Amino acid sequence: MNRNPTNRPSDHFRRGPAVRIPKLSSACRSIREDLGLSRAEARDRTGLSDGYLFEIERGKHVPSLEALEKLIAGYRLNLMQARHLRDLRAPAEDLLPTAKLRECLIANDVLMSHLQELEKRGVFGAYIDPVWNMLACNDSCRAAMPGLEENAESIPAWLFSPTAKTIVIEWEREAAHAAAALKAIFGRYRHSEQVRDLARRLRPNHDANRLWSPSTNVAYGRDAGDPLHWRHPSTGQPNSYIMTASEVNQTQNVLLVTALRRPYCGPNIA
C-alpha cells in the first residue's frame, strides 16, 4: 500500500462518481493534494498544525476565518479558489425551486415581452436560474439547443449530451469551463433542490466525471471577451456569440442571459 499521503487516490476516485456537491473539508484536502503537499508541508506553509489541518479535511472542525485566510495565503490560491472556500465556509444561499421561479417569471408580462424584443433584434435571450435551468427563452435561443426539453430544461445536462458535442465548437474547452463554474454554483447553493437534482443527473455521465475530477479550478461567470462558438443545428454554419448575464431586479434568483451573434472568430474547423 502506498503510504505517501500526497500520492494516495483522492476521495473522488475511491468513492465513485466525481460529480459531488462540494464541502469545505473535501475542497481543502483536494487543493492540498493537487499541490502535492503532505500535511507537514502544508503546516509549514500555513502555520496551522498537522492535527488542525487533519480535522479540517475530515470535516471535524470548521476553520475560523483567520485560519481559512492562512490556508488561502499558504496555498497561494487564485481569486476564484479563494472565493470558493469562503463560500463553502459561509451558510449556503437559499434558492427558490425552479417551478416557482418559472411561474413568477411567466406571470411578468414586461420580462416576457423583453424576450420578444431581443428576438426582433436578432439577439438570443433567456432567463435562467443560478443553476442554469432554463426558465423561459425566445425562439432563436430555443432553436440553438435542440433536445433541451429531453434534458429537463437543464443547460448543463444538455451540454454534456451527445447533441451538444455536434453543435458546440471547442466542446472540450466549454465543458471543462462548465464543470469549473458548476463547482462554484454547487458550493454557493449547495442545499438547494436544483443542485441536488443536477448532481444526480450528471453523476452517470462519463464526460462530466472526467472533467470534474482532475482539477481544483473553479470559475465564477464568463469573461465578456471570451466568445462562444456554435454551429447552427440545421445548417452547420459556425457563428460566434458574445454572451452576457445580469441579475433581473424584479425577480429574485433569475438571470437574463443574452448572446449577440458576431462573425465567426473561432478555431479553424473542417
Side-chain angles (χ1 to χ4, degrees):
M1 178 181 294
N2 190 345
R3 297 183 180 278
N4 185 340
T6 63
N7 293 325
R8 292 176 187 166
S10 70
D11 285 353
H12 293 317
F13 295 103
R14 284 184 286 155
R15 298 178 185 175
V19 177
R20 294 180 177 275
I21 299 173
K23 297 179 181 179
L24 180 59
S25 55
S26 58
C28 288
R29 179 179 177 181
S30 294
I31 289 170
R32 176 178 62 78
E33 291 180 341
D34 189 60
L35 292 170
L37 299 175
S38 66
R39 286 200 182 92
E41 291 168 327
R43 174 199 63 208
D44 294 340
R45 277 205 187 190
T46 65
L48 303 174
S49 70
D50 298 41
Y52 191 62
L53 289 168
F54 178 82
E55 289 187 343
I56 290 172
E57 292 180 359
R58 292 298 177 185
K60 304 293 185 181
H61 192 91
V62 177
S64 65
L65 288 173
E66 180 183 3
L68 186 66
E69 293 305 318
K70 287 183 177 180
L71 276 174
I72 290 169
Y75 290 162
R76 303 183 184 95
L77 301 186
N78 61 41
L79 294 176
M80 301 296 183
Q81 291 171 319
R83 179 178 173 182
H84 184 49
L85 291 190
R86 294 182 186 117
D87 280 351
L88 290 174
R89 189 189 181 281
E93 293 192 27
D94 293 330
L95 186 57
L96 290 173
T98 299
K100 181 65 175 177
L101 290 173
R102 186 175 289 119
E103 177 185 334
C104 293
L105 178 65
I106 292 175
N108 190 314
D109 293 338
V110 173
L111 293 179
M112 294 301 293
S113 64
H114 184 57
L115 290 178
Q116 302 313 311
E117 289 298 321
L118 292 173
E119 177 81 17
K120 293 175 183 177
R121 299 174 191 173
V123 178
F124 291 7
Y127 293 112
I128 64 173
D129 73 9
V131 190
W132 300 358
N133 290 304
M134 183 73 77
L135 304 176
C137 64
N138 58 22
D139 293 340
S140 296
C141 183
R142 173 70 63 180
M145 290 185 285
L148 184 63
E149 299 90 343
E150 287 81 355
N151 288 279
E153 301 292 320
S154 168
I155 296 173
W158 178 84
L159 181 61
F160 284 100
S161 72
T163 300
K165 289 185 176 183
T166 68
I167 293 173
V168 180
I169 301 170
E170 294 186 299
W171 179 87
E172 187 82 10
R173 175 177 178 269
E174 293 297 339
H177 175 78
L182 287 173
K183 289 178 187 178
I185 293 167
F186 278 21
R188 188 175 181 182
Y189 299 101
R190 55 192 176 274
H191 295 161
S192 71
E193 68 177 40
Q194 288 99 316
V195 165
R196 292 192 298 270
D197 182 63
L198 181 55
R200 285 193 297 267
R201 289 182 181 279
L202 293 181
R203 280 174 193 144
N205 186 287
H206 170 75
D207 286 319
N209 285 291
R210 175 176 59 83
L211 293 169
W212 196 284
S213 60
S215 173
T216 57
N217 289 337
V218 291
Y220 287 83
R222 184 185 186 94
D223 187 343
D226 182 17
L228 179 66
H229 310 297
W230 210 271
R231 287 185 178 89
H232 189 282
S234 299
T235 67
Q237 179 183 353
N239 291 290
S240 297
Y241 296 88
I242 300 299
M243 297 187 64
T244 61
S246 57
E247 294 184 355
V248 177
N249 293 331
Q250 300 97 315
T251 308
Q252 187 180 14
N253 298 141
V254 175
L255 302 173
L256 171 64
V257 177
T258 61
L260 183 61
R261 185 166 60 187
R262 291 284 186 257
Y264 182 67
C265 61
N268 291 331
I269 55 177

